[in-house]
């Protein structure tokens, strides 16, 4: 493999020689060709005076020219052969000897650009206009823009985007204005003043409208969903304030939300100024808004303080889950609830490690990413092992009050920067430097937590009162025989929080399958067949498949066809594939829907279902 960057094994770029300091995009969206075309201007800073080349990441991009903007001189460049996943390294010979200067690259993306999904009008809720959205994290930005596609580099950006006037265009930036062009299209101008990594550049174009949900927040989505979305995310401002109370000022100006079409592969994506979320959050009762708390938390952990490489991904996600749970429990004014969520996280970690195998290198908190596709290694491990590590350290070092002061100091220290796990650890030791704290920190098994696969070396202590109710009810179901089921009634779960119902259902996975008579009865008394909360529905389907309750197959296939959130789609397909009664139908269903699905989801499902490309 050609030399990858010295600091980031997922990038070819050479920021240690020449650094991108500002990005300006001038692009046209073409819905018929499925391309973005135009140019990117990169303001470069020469870090090493003798540097002759700037090396950029690209994938599937056609470059037509590179010029030095000051002299208008054409620059020589070479586009290396494509390396799977990482793309083609673009090497540009610099002639301008100034420390700071700007180059312009004229290019076009390919219709297969992995960062973009192009939807036909029929694939949208309104079926009127086509739709385009991006997903750059982790290393897809290079398929949309030639850039230093490493989170160790941060730059502000501006953009001018030309698109048909029937679509609205938004980016992970503030909209400065829109103008009609001579050919009847529109040009929209955007500005992002905060330095940010390439994976946070985002674009959407479609038939979307907005509704105000707070003093600095709007929700955007197709007209069909706008009222439901505004209702669901009404707590956004309270969450922002809770975040500010914990970590300091929100620096990004607006915090808007975009509810995407159902094929969006993630629960949420923290694109600055405009979080992207899946429509599966629209439960109708605000019960899934914790995903918004998560994306809000990224405004500090991830977007302000950023992981320096994808090996340090836990610094983004583990921290964010930790802060998300603080925000959610502040809104509920319940530390017991935070402890419940954290213990539920430990459960998820156990489940994930069981599925991946305790020897699997991706179960390390800080995995070696050389030659690894970050989409491949993605799992709950950095989220839940990372949050467990912080939860454990918080308890060790004196509890929330003490630890929250540290969190704020951490943000203050590293805001605007990218950090490695070593930077993180050094600052922790520097902050907790009394003899007493140093003594406590000396007891931590750093090697085990950070670099060894499998479950962590220590389990934190959790308040288990909310989890116990779920377990008691589950044990009753497990203990009784099929002719004793009439004693169960809806009142069993009436006082449960939605996440407790989810916890009650998910725990059955640790036991032998229950009978079909039991799942049938449970579905009826607890009204699980009509549940609107996607997390509960997901666990319910898994339980029914585990019980081999055949009538559930249609329902499960419907669920994985109606939405493409990988967190749900992957495990449900995996379960359907394992069961002989549904294996072929799962394959057929995937093949029938594959063209409508997001490319990242397709790649994962091809492996799970053993379907050749
Ligand atoms: N940044 C992630 C999504 C992501 C990670 C996309 C890596 C691509 C590569 C986002 O903040 C996230 O974690 N989403 C979760 C939300 C959940 C933990 C509340 C999701 O999508 O499920
Ligand atoms: Zn996240």
């Amino acid at each position: 493999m050609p030399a990858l960057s010295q600091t980031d094994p997922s990038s070819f770029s050479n920021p240690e020689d020449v650094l991108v300091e500002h990005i300006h995009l001038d692009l046209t969206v073409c819905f018929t060709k499925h391309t973005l075309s135009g140019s990117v201007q990169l303001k470069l800073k020469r870090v090493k005076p003798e540097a002759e080349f700037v090396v950029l990441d690209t994938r599937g991009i056609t470059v037509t020219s590179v010029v030095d903007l000051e002299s208008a001189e054409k620059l020589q460049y070479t586009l290396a052969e494509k390396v799977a996943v990482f793309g083609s390294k673009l090497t540009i010979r610099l002639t301008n000897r100034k420390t700071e200067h700007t180059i312009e690259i004229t290019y076009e993306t390919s219709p297969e650009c992995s960062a973009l999904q192009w939807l036909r009008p029929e694939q949208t809720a309104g079926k009127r206009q086509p739709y385009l959205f991006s997903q750059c994290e982790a290393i897809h930005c290079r398929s949309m823009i030639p850039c230093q596609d490493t989170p160790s580099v941060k730059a502000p950006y501006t953009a001018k985007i030309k698109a048909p006037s029937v679509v609205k265009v938004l980016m992970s930036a503030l909209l400065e204005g829109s103008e009609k062009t001579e050919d009847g299209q529109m040009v929209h101008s955007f500005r992002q003043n905060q330095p940010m990594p390439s994976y946070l550049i985002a674009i959407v174009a479609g038939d979307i409208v907005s509704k105000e949900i707070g003093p600095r927040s709007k929700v955007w989505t197709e007209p069909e969903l706008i009222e439901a979305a505004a209702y669901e995310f009404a707590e956004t401002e309270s969450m922002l304030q809770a975040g500010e109370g914990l970590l300091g000022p929100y620096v990004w100006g607006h915090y808007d939300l975009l509810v995407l079409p159902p094929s969006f592969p993630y629960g949420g994506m923290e694109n600055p100024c405009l979080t992207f979320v899946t429509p599966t959050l629209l439960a109708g009762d605000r019960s899934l808004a914790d995903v918004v708390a998560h994306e809000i938390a990224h405004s500090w952990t991830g977007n302000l303080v950023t992981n320096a490489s994808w090996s340090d991904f836990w610094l983004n996600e583990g921290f964010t889950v930790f802060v998300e749970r603080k925000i959610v429990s502040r809104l509920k004014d319940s530390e017991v609830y935070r402890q419940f969520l954290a213990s539920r996280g430990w459960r998820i970690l156990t489940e994930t490690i069981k599925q991946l195998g305790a020897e699997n290198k991706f179960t390390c908190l800080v995995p070696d990413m050389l030659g690894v596709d970050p989409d491949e290694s993605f799992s709950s491990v950095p989220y839940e092992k990372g949050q467990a590590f912080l939860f454990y350290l918080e308890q060790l070092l004196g509890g929330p009050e003490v630890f929250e002061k540290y969190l704020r100091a951490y943000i203050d220290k590293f805001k605007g920067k990218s950090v490695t796990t070593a930077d993180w650890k050094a600052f922790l030791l520097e902050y907790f430097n009394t003899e007493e704290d140093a003594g406590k920190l000396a007891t931590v098994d750093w090697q085990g937590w950070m670099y060894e696969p499998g479950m962590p070396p220590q389990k934190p202590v959790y308040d288990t009162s909310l989890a116990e109710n779920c377990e008691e009810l589950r044990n009753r179901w497990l203990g009784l025989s099929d002719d004793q089921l009439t004693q169960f009634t809806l009142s069993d779960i009436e006082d449960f929080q939605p996440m407790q119902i989810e916890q009650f259902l998910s725990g059955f996975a640790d036991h032998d399958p229950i009978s079909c008579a039991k799942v049938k009865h449970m579905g009826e008394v607890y009204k699980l067949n009509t549940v609107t909360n996607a997390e509960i529905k997901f666990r319910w389907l898994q339980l029914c498949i585990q019980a081999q309750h055949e009538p559930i197959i249609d329902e499960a296939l419907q669920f994985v066809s109606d939405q493409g959130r990988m967190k749900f789609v992957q495990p449900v397909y995996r379960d359907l594939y394992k069961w002989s009664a549904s294996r072929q139908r799962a394959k057929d269903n995937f093949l029938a829907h594959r063209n409508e699905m997001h490319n990242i989801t397709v790649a994962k499902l091809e492996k799970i279902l053993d379907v050749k490309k």
Side-chain angles (χ1 to χ4, degrees):
M1 196 156 83
L4 288 157
S5 144
Q6 287 172 14
T7 43
D8 180 351
S10 315
S11 170
F12 289 113
S13 65
N14 62 340
E16 61 283 357
D17 299 332
V18 180
L19 190 63
V20 172
E21 278 194 318
H22 185 271
I23 298 174
H24 175 72
L25 299 166
D26 193 339
L27 295 171
T28 299
V29 178
C30 181
F31 279 106
T32 41
K33 289 197 296 180
H34 287 184
T35 56
L36 298 182
S37 62
S39 66
V40 58
Q41 293 179 4
L42 301 175
K43 183 174 165 209
L44 303 179
K45 179 176 159 191
R46 204 183 281 279
V47 181
K48 291 202 186 121
E50 71 279 11
E52 281 182 70
F53 300 99
V54 60
V55 183
L56 303 175
D57 294 296
T58 74
R59 187 166 58 223
I61 279 179
T62 309
V63 175
T64 46
S65 81
V66 184
V67 300
D68 182 300
L69 268 195
E70 201 175 314
S71 63
E73 182 188 354
K74 284 206 166 177
L75 300 181
Q76 280 177 13
Y77 62 90
T78 53
L79 198 58
E81 208 157 299
K82 183 175 174 165
V83 177
V85 184
F86 303 106
S88 309
K89 141 178 173 173
L90 173 64
T91 307
I92 300 167
R93 179 184 285 279
L94 302 174
T95 51
N96 194 320
R97 303 312 300 168
K98 285 194 186 147
T99 311
E100 288 196 339
H101 65 279
T102 303
I103 61 169
E104 181 178 71
I105 304 168
T106 306
Y107 74 97
E108 183 171 71
T109 61
S110 94
E112 283 74 46
C113 171
S114 65
L116 300 175
Q117 191 179 14
W118 302 85
L119 300 176
R120 287 174 278 109
E122 311 86 84
Q123 291 172 278
T124 67
K127 312 197 185 314
R128 289 173 296 268
Q129 305 299 342
Y131 198 104
L132 164 69
F133 70 86
S134 66
Q135 169 58 46
C136 286
E137 192 177 16
I139 60 167
H140 296 283
C141 188
R142 64 191 64 180
S143 70
M144 188 166 91
I145 307 165
C147 62
Q148 293 186 323
D149 199 10
T150 165
S152 63
V153 172
K154 292 176 141 183
Y157 80 93
T158 50
K160 282 200 188 307
I161 307 292
K162 185 167 155 182
S165 57
V166 290
V167 295
K168 178 102 199 149
V169 180
L170 298 173
M171 293 191 81
S172 52
L174 301 176
L175 176 66
E176 293 208 300
S178 305
E179 274 172 38
K180 260 217 149 63
T181 62
E182 280 169 10
D183 57 355
Q185 302 209 68
M186 294 288 278
V187 173
H188 310 274
S189 305
F190 299 93
R191 174 175 295 278
Q192 176 54 264
N193 282 334
Q194 295 288 333
M196 50 163 241
S198 55
Y199 77 82
L200 292 176
I201 298 180
I203 183 166
V204 58
D207 181 11
I208 53 173
V209 293
S210 68
K211 186 161 177 167
E212 204 175 281
I213 52 168
R216 48 187 151 175
S217 301
K218 287 186 198 130
V219 64
W220 295 87
T221 192
E222 287 191 70
E224 284 71 14
L225 293 180
I226 193 72
E227 292 303 328
Y231 177 81
E232 206 75 39
F233 304 127
E235 296 155 311
T236 299
E237 178 60 22
S238 318
M239 291 176 173
L240 283 162
Q241 287 178 14
E244 288 187 305
L246 281 161
L247 299 176
Y250 176 81
V251 303
W252 307 87
H254 292 275
Y255 180 84
D256 286 1
L257 284 159
L258 169 73
V259 182
L260 282 115
S263 66
F264 185 62
Y266 294 98
M269 177 64 215
E270 65 275 24
N271 298 132
C273 305
L274 183 67
T275 283
F276 285 21
V277 295
T278 163
T280 64
L281 301 189
L282 302 176
D285 59 2
R286 300 178 181 163
S287 57
L288 298 177
D290 54 347
V291 174
V292 174
H294 178 94
E295 306 314 334
I296 286 176
H298 272 306
S299 307
W300 294 269
T301 50
N303 298 5
L304 208 52
V305 179
T306 306
N307 53 207
S309 80
W310 300 111
S311 290
D312 307 300
F313 186 50
W314 81 276
L315 293 176
N316 273 15
E317 298 300 345
F319 263 83
T320 297
V321 173
F322 187 69
V323 175
E324 162 204 339
R325 290 181 181 151
K326 286 194 181 275
I327 293 176
V328 168
S329 61
R330 284 202 174 189
L331 262 60
K332 287 195 192 281
D333 193 20
S334 169
E335 171 64 14
V336 170
Y337 192 65
R338 184 174 83 99
Q339 302 257 338
F340 166 69
L341 292 176
S343 70
R344 180 173 165 261
W346 186 268
R347 213 210 108 71
I348 294 170
L349 180 63
T350 314
E351 217 173 76
T352 306
I353 290 180
K354 191 169 150 206
Q355 196 245 315
L356 292 173
E359 300 296 313
N360 188 315
K361 67 171 184 169
F362 299 141
T363 64
C364 294
L365 185 64
V366 188
D368 179 1
M369 294 297 284
L370 186 66
V372 174
D373 175 0
D375 286 342
E376 233 355 79
S377 64
F378 181 82
S379 78
S380 304
V381 170
Y383 290 77
E384 296 298 352
K385 208 185 229 192
Q387 108 81 43
F389 195 17
L390 294 170
F391 196 89
Y392 160 75
L393 289 169
E394 178 176 82
Q395 278 177 354
L396 179 74
L397 293 162
E401 219 176 299
V402 176
F403 206 69
E404 283 166 16
K405 282 205 188 86
Y406 150 75
L407 280 180
R408 209 179 172 124
Y410 167 75
I411 298 293
D412 251 4
K413 163 98 180 168
F414 293 113
K415 60 182 178 221
K417 301 208 168 69
S418 301
V419 289
T420 64
T421 301
D423 297 330
W424 164 76
K425 187 181 167 192
F427 181 68
L428 183 82
L429 298 183
E430 182 188 313
Y431 183 89
F432 290 102
N433 63 1
T434 63
E435 204 170 312
E436 194 193 342
D437 286 340
K440 289 176 182 167
L441 285 168
T443 68
V444 176
D445 178 0
W446 301 99
Q447 173 67 24
W449 272 102
M450 300 197 303
Y451 303 109
E452 265 155 42
M455 288 302 282
Q458 286 112 332
K459 182 176 175 175
V461 186
Y462 304 105
D463 178 299
T464 54
S465 44
L466 291 174
E468 272 160 19
N469 298 341
C470 312
E471 202 179 318
E472 271 163 29
L473 182 62
R474 191 184 318 115
N475 286 336
R476 278 177 57 208
W477 278 91
L478 288 165
L480 294 177
S481 60
D482 289 356
D483 51 15
Q484 294 173 303
L485 303 178
T486 48
Q487 58 171 277
F488 293 108
T489 62
L490 189 57
S491 62
D492 302 342
I493 58 167
E494 251 164 15
D495 294 335
F496 276 14
Q497 310 261 5
M499 277 314 122
Q500 285 180 287
I501 303 179
E502 189 268 358
Q503 172 89 357
F504 157 72
L505 292 171
S506 62
F508 283 100
D510 302 339
H511 300 270
D512 288 339
I514 57 173
S515 68
C516 288
K518 277 187 184 169
V519 289
K520 194 161 176 292
H521 192 70
M522 191 187 290
E524 282 159 16
V525 288
Y526 295 161
K527 301 191 187 347
L528 292 166
N529 294 315
T530 52
V531 76
T532 55
N533 180 307
E535 298 278 349
I536 297 176
K537 177 152 189 178
F538 164 58
R539 295 302 193 173
W540 169 238
L541 292 173
Q542 285 196 301
L543 174 60
C544 292
I545 298 172
Q546 191 195 7
Q548 306 208 329
H549 180 55
E550 291 207 21
I552 211 67
I553 299 177
D554 285 328
E555 187 94 17
L557 290 172
Q558 190 72 44
F559 182 69
V560 295
S561 311
D562 287 348
Q563 50 80 35
R565 185 173 171 190
M566 287 196 287
K567 173 180 177 184
F568 301 146
V569 167
Q570 287 188 80
V572 171
Y573 263 117
R574 203 179 280 125
D575 291 351
L576 288 169
Y577 186 76
K578 270 195 226 139
W579 180 17
S580 59
S582 51
R583 175 170 306 163
Q584 194 55 43
R585 290 190 61 196
K587 277 194 180 195
D588 293 345
N589 192 70
F590 167 67
L591 293 173
H593 288 91
R594 176 203 209 147
N595 291 340
E596 318 279 285
M597 298 172 85
H598 195 279
N599 70 76
I600 307 180
T601 320
V602 169
K604 294 265 186 180
L605 292 180
E606 279 173 346
K607 289 221 167 105
I608 288 173
L609 298 170
D610 192 25
V611 195
K612 294 247 157 52
K613 271 186 209 166

